[in-house]
């Protein structure tokens, strides 16, 4: 409404005060460019923010909360990074405190690096890094390295949190260093069996994982989206 009134005023001034009308027109034109650039900047900022996400989960065992987990996703151009961090404090015969960190970086949809780190009761249980080198991945554990021929990897366990595996049959596990089959149990409900005999079930709504049921030989636990 306001721009329409301004241009109507300029049109009237061109008849009686052409110089004033020309000055006003130049001011509006410059101002419009600034306004458009400002709107474009705000739109791009909002779009970038919309691409980033953070999911918060509550970890439960026997109905009681024993920890929390956070999944962060950040997108910068053609690169996407994931960061999963968990903390657990519970009593299982004796007090157990656990900290876990997993990271993955994808470039153009291909995994280029990952990290798995776990600590229990102050003792390091896992510290594993994997990087893409040509047609292979190199896994480093402390001072030891080994070559894996799994390249390219496009879907890992971290992708399960914000990307439902509707048409995906396998997922790569950094923990076991191998691909695992994804079993569809029902719509938006999947199961993954691990080489150690345990398994997890994943439940989805609108493409996001809302619940994970972990079935271990010694216990069961759930991860529920807040």
């Amino acid at each position: 409404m306001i721009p329409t009134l301004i241009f109507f005023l300029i049109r009237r001034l061109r008849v009686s005060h052409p110089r004033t009308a020309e000055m006003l027109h130049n001011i509006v034109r410059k101002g419009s460019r600034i306004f458009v650039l400002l709107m474009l900047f705000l739109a791009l900022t909002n779009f970038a923010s919309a691409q980033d996400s953070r999911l918060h989960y509550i970890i439960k065992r026997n109905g009681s909360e024993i920890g929390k987990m956070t999944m962060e996703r950040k997108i910068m151009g053609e690169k996407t990074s994931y960061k999963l961090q968990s903390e657990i404090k519970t009593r299982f015969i004796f007090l157990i405190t656990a900290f876990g960190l997993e990271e993955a970086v994808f470039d153009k949809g291909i995994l280029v690096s990952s990290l798995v780190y776990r600590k229990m009761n102050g003792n390091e249980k896992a510290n594993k890094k994997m990087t893409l080198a040509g047609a292979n991945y190199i896994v480093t554990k402390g001072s030891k390295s080994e070559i894996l021929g799994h390249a390219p990897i496009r879907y890992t366990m971290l992708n399960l949190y914000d990307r439902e595996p509707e048409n995906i049959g396998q997922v790569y596990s950094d923990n076991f260093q191998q691909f695992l089959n994804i079993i569809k149990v029902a719509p938006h409900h999947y199961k993954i069996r691990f080489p150690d005999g345990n398994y997890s079930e994943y439940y989805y709504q609108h493409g996001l994982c809302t619940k994970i049921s972990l079935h271990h030989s010694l216990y069961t636990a759930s991860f529920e989206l807040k």
Side-chain angles (χ1 to χ4, degrees), residues 22-220:
E22 186 64 24
M23 290 177 60
L24 182 59
H25 176 73
N26 291 334
I27 292 173
V28 172
R29 185 176 59 186
K30 293 179 180 179
S32 298
R33 290 176 180 174
I34 295 174
F35 178 77
V36 171
L37 290 173
L38 179 61
M39 290 299 100
L40 181 60
F41 172 76
L42 291 175
L44 290 174
T45 301
N46 290 334
F47 177 76
S49 299
Q51 296 298 299
D52 296 342
S53 66
R54 177 178 292 183
L55 303 175
H56 298 275
Y57 293 84
I58 297 175
I59 305 174
K60 293 183 178 181
R61 178 173 173 268
N62 296 331
S64 300
E65 183 176 341
I66 62 171
K68 57 185 178 179
M69 182 172 70
T70 302
M71 162 60 79
E72 295 183 10
R73 181 192 68 186
K74 294 185 178 181
I75 297 178
M76 297 181 63
E78 296 181 320
K79 288 189 176 182
T80 302
S81 64
Y82 292 88
K83 181 179 180 180
L84 180 69
Q85 188 167 310
S86 61
E87 295 180 13
I88 295 175
K89 186 176 182 180
T90 185
R91 184 170 291 279
F92 188 73
I93 302 178
F94 54 88
L95 182 64
I96 296 175
T97 60
F99 171 80
L101 175 65
E102 294 185 43
E103 296 179 349
V105 178
F106 291 81
D107 189 359
K108 299 178 182 178
I110 296 176
L111 180 69
V112 294
S113 66
S114 67
L115 166 70
V116 175
Y117 180 84
R118 293 191 182 92
K119 182 183 289 187
M120 182 176 293
N121 290 346
N123 298 317
E124 186 176 276
K125 295 297 182 179
N127 190 351
K128 185 191 312 180
K129 297 179 181 179
M130 186 169 75
T131 56
L132 179 64
N136 298 297
Y137 287 100
I138 298 177
V139 178
T140 303
K141 304 174 188 177
S143 59
K144 298 181 180 180
S145 297
E146 62 178 304
I147 298 177
L148 296 179
H150 293 315
I153 296 173
R154 300 179 183 274
Y155 194 79
T156 71
M157 298 296 291
L158 295 188
N159 294 115
L160 286 167
Y161 291 87
D162 68 349
R163 183 181 166 194
E164 182 177 349
E166 291 183 283
N167 300 306
I168 300 175
Q170 289 189 321
V171 58
Y172 182 77
S173 169
D174 271 307
N175 187 39
F176 294 103
Q177 294 181 202
Q178 67 183 75
F179 285 95
L180 306 176
N181 292 327
I182 301 174
I183 304 168
K184 187 170 185 178
V185 179
H188 315 299
H189 177 191
Y190 305 84
K191 179 189 289 187
I192 297 176
R193 292 189 177 277
F194 304 109
D196 59 6
N198 302 313
Y199 69 93
S200 290
E201 295 183 76
Y202 299 79
Y203 302 83
Y204 292 83
Q205 288 183 11
H206 309 296
L208 295 178
C209 183
T210 57
K211 182 181 178 180
I212 301 172
S213 295
L214 174 61
H215 299 265
H216 193 276
S217 58
L218 300 177
Y219 62 88
T220 59

Side-chain angles (χ1 to χ4, degrees), residues 3-29:
T4 302
L5 292 175
I6 293 174
F7 283 109
F8 178 76
L9 177 61
I10 292 173
R11 185 176 179 183
R12 293 289 299 273
L13 286 173
R14 279 176 176 168
V15 178
S16 57
H17 300 82
R19 289 187 177 182
T20 303
E22 186 64 24
M23 290 177 60
L24 182 59
H25 176 73
N26 291 334
I27 292 173
V28 172
R29 185 176 59 186

